[in-house]
């Protein structure tokens, strides 16, 4: 492990020397994870590489992102890659079911924009100041192939969603220049925005309504939280793929500095999502073994919902 970034030229030469490449994103993939993986896959395929993408199932809304045909469905053990590229994973454990394959592979590249990333690849291309993993993928593949409409659409989807619609502080003039180049490829940017940011499926709408109805605004600190149990998911015919946007919506409330969504992941595990306007919530999640970004982080605790919320709140109280 080099424990520092490799030059762009080194990353490109490692990719160019490889022929059988596996690309994986994080568990419960979001559009940045999907877009960056599929854009990289389409680019490498153009270069004649054998490429397989490992991604967990995701919401049908995200089918607007091209390149899904590169997703491998089968026994992962038959894959013998000479290069494994991890995308948008802020920690090695975020690779989920593909973690063992990553560990077995001699050549690994980690491309990421999470501040919590500890440079777990043999080669690393990590920058916590950029909008998205998709932006980093653009910087690499623009040097190795022609960016066509499908590749442009996948990258645009990742940048758009992870930058919060070009709103988060990691949106730079460089981000907008890249977006401008992508628009030149005649991508359907209106539809991508509507489907990925605006549209809610019926199940998403139901669980959103439930979560907002249960939201609690604290009196002593500017924090609001909500919780979702197995019962709630069942009642709404929803699962953890349907909860996007809830914790962000709660943060919109005037005066609120941190929002929390806690949901039951298993009988003994609670997933916590944190969002903030200014407070460093990566620091909070990291204290429990999680991570992410300064304004968006997550962690899974081996506790029930009530105890998990209490742990996070007592940690947060020290920040105000
Ligand atoms: P979310 O709350 O939407 O699951 O995640 C918010 C951010 O925190 C994402 O950038 C995600 O990668 C990161 N994150 C969420 N859960 C974990 C976790 O368990 N470990 C680490 N290292 N990062 C996480
Ligand atoms: Mn991302």
């Amino acid at each position: 492990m080099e424990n520092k970034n490799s030059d762009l030229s080194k990353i490109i030469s490692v990719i160019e020397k490889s022929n059988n490449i596996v690309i994986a994103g994080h568990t419960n993939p979001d559009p940045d994870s999907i877009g960056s993986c599929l854009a990289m896959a389409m680019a490498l395929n153009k270069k004649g590489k054998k490429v397989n993408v490992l991604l967990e199932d995701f919401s049908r809304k995200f089918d607007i992102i091209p390149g899904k045909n590169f997703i491998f469905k089968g026994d992962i053990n038959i894959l013998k890659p000479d290069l494994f590229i991890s995308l948008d994973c802020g920690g090695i454990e975020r690779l989920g079911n593909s973690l063992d394959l990553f560990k077995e592979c001699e050549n690994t590249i980690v491309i990421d924009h999470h501040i919590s990333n500890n440079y777990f690849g043999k080669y690393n291309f990590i920058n916590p100041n950029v909008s998205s993993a998709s932006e980093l993928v653009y910087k690499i593949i623009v040097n190795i192939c022609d960016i066509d409409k499908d590749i442009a659409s996948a990258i645009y989807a990742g940048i758009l969603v992870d930058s919060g619609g070009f709103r988060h502080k990691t949106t730079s003039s460089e981000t907008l220049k890249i977006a401008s180049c992508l628009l030149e490829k005649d991508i359907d940017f209106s539809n991508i925005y509507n489907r990925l940011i605006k549209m809610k499926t019926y199940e998403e709408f139901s669980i959103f309504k439930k979560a907002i109805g249960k939201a609690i605004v604290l009196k002593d600190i500017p924090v609001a939280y909500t919780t979702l149990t197995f019962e709630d998911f069942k009642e709404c015919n929803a699962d953890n793929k349907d909860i996007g946007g809830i914790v962000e919506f709660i943060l919109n409330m005037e005066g609120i500095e941190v929002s929390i969504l806690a949901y039951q992941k298993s009988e003994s595990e609670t997933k916590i999502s944190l969002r903030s306007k200014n407070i460093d919530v990566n620091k909070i999640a990291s204290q429990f073994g999680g991570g992410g970004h300064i304004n968006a982080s997550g962690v899974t605790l081996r506790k029930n919902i009530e105890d998990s919320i209490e742990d996070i709140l007592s940690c947060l109280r020290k920040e105000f």
Side-chain angles (χ1 to χ4, degrees):
M1 209 183 279
E2 285 188 14
N3 203 25
K4 61 175 173 56
N5 275 330
S6 297
D7 294 338
L8 179 59
S9 56
K10 179 70 187 175
I11 298 289
I12 291 168
S13 88
V14 172
I15 290 174
E16 296 212 314
K17 279 189 201 129
S18 307
N19 290 303
N20 181 3
I21 303 172
V22 162
I23 301 167
H26 60 71
T27 59
N28 197 8
D30 59 9
D32 187 30
S33 195
I34 300 164
S36 59
C37 285
L38 299 183
M40 182 64 95
M42 289 186 279
L44 299 185
N45 179 59
K46 278 189 155 194
K47 296 288 287 180
K49 312 286 182 193
K50 182 178 174 198
V51 47
N52 284 291
V53 175
L54 302 176
L55 278 172
E56 287 177 4
D57 290 346
F58 45 80
S59 166
R60 63 183 180 278
K61 281 198 316 188
F62 302 159
D63 286 350
I64 194 169
I65 304 172
K68 218 181 154 182
N69 50 310
F70 288 102
I71 299 177
F72 177 78
K73 299 276 176 213
D75 180 5
I76 189 171
N77 294 310
I78 68 163
L79 299 172
K80 303 285 176 210
D82 54 9
L83 173 65
F84 192 122
I85 304 177
S86 163
L87 276 162
D88 201 31
C89 294
I92 197 169
E93 78 290 349
R94 301 277 294 154
L95 281 164
N97 290 337
S98 45
L99 178 59
D100 287 345
L101 188 62
F102 179 91
K103 285 181 177 164
E104 283 163 19
C105 193
E106 198 183 318
N107 273 330
T108 58
I109 299 179
V110 169
I111 301 169
D112 188 37
H113 69 126
H114 291 91
I115 198 165
S116 54
N117 201 306
N118 68 350
Y119 297 76
F120 60 87
K122 179 171 177 188
Y123 307 100
N124 299 281
F125 195 62
I126 296 167
N127 185 347
N129 301 315
V130 303
S131 67
S132 53
S134 299
E135 184 170 333
L136 292 170
V137 165
Y138 178 87
K139 287 176 202 277
I140 297 169
I141 64 177
V142 74
N143 293 290
I144 61 178
C145 76
D146 173 50
I147 308 267
D148 60 24
K149 183 176 174 177
D150 280 351
I151 296 175
S153 302
I155 292 174
Y156 189 82
I159 293 179
L160 177 78
V161 176
D162 253 35
S163 68
F166 304 110
R167 181 171 51 93
H168 296 153
K169 288 171 193 141
T170 48
T171 306
S172 64
S173 63
E174 178 70 11
T175 314
L176 294 172
K177 276 182 204 147
I178 293 171
S180 168
C181 292
L182 299 174
L183 255 61
E184 280 173 16
K185 304 293 171 183
D186 198 28
I187 61 171
D188 193 357
F189 61 91
S190 296
N191 211 11
I192 294 173
Y193 192 106
N194 285 332
R195 261 193 98 84
L196 298 184
I197 296 193
K198 287 296 190 198
M199 191 190 109
K200 288 210 182 294
T201 62
Y202 186 75
E203 293 78 15
E204 284 175 315
F205 200 84
S206 304
I207 197 82
F208 184 88
K209 204 167 86 174
K210 168 71 74 184
I212 300 307
K214 290 176 75 181
I216 290 173
V217 181
L218 296 184
K219 297 227 161 34
D220 58 334
I221 48 173
V223 174
Y225 71 88
T226 194
T227 57
L228 289 169
T229 62
F230 285 150
E231 278 294 294
D232 296 324
F233 282 111
K234 204 171 145 205
E235 211 179 287
C236 300
N237 194 24
D239 61 33
N240 69 349
K241 295 196 286 297
D242 301 317
I243 55 175
I246 292 172
V247 70
E248 291 82 3
F249 189 84
I250 294 174
L251 186 67
N252 288 336
M253 208 186 313
E254 186 180 15
I256 291 299
E257 283 294 331
V258 176
S259 61
I260 309 167
L261 165 65
Y263 71 85
Q264 221 177 342
K265 203 168 162 184
S266 70
E267 285 300 340
S268 58
E269 284 180 316
T270 300
K271 166 74 201 264
I272 299 281
S273 284
L274 293 156
R275 300 292 184 272
S276 73
K277 288 180 182 144
N278 298 295
I279 297 248
D280 181 356
V281 288
N282 171 59
K283 197 174 118 188
I284 308 286
S286 299
Q287 286 180 42
F288 298 92
H293 309 285
I294 289 172
N295 301 119
S297 68
V299 59
T300 297
L301 299 181
R302 299 199 151 276
K303 293 193 168 182
N304 65 28
I305 290 187
E306 291 74 23
D307 293 346
S308 300
I309 283 282
E310 266 324 304
D311 279 5
I312 299 288
L313 289 180
S314 64
C315 193
L316 268 172
R317 283 195 171 90
K318 295 183 191 120
E319 300 294 318
F320 289 102

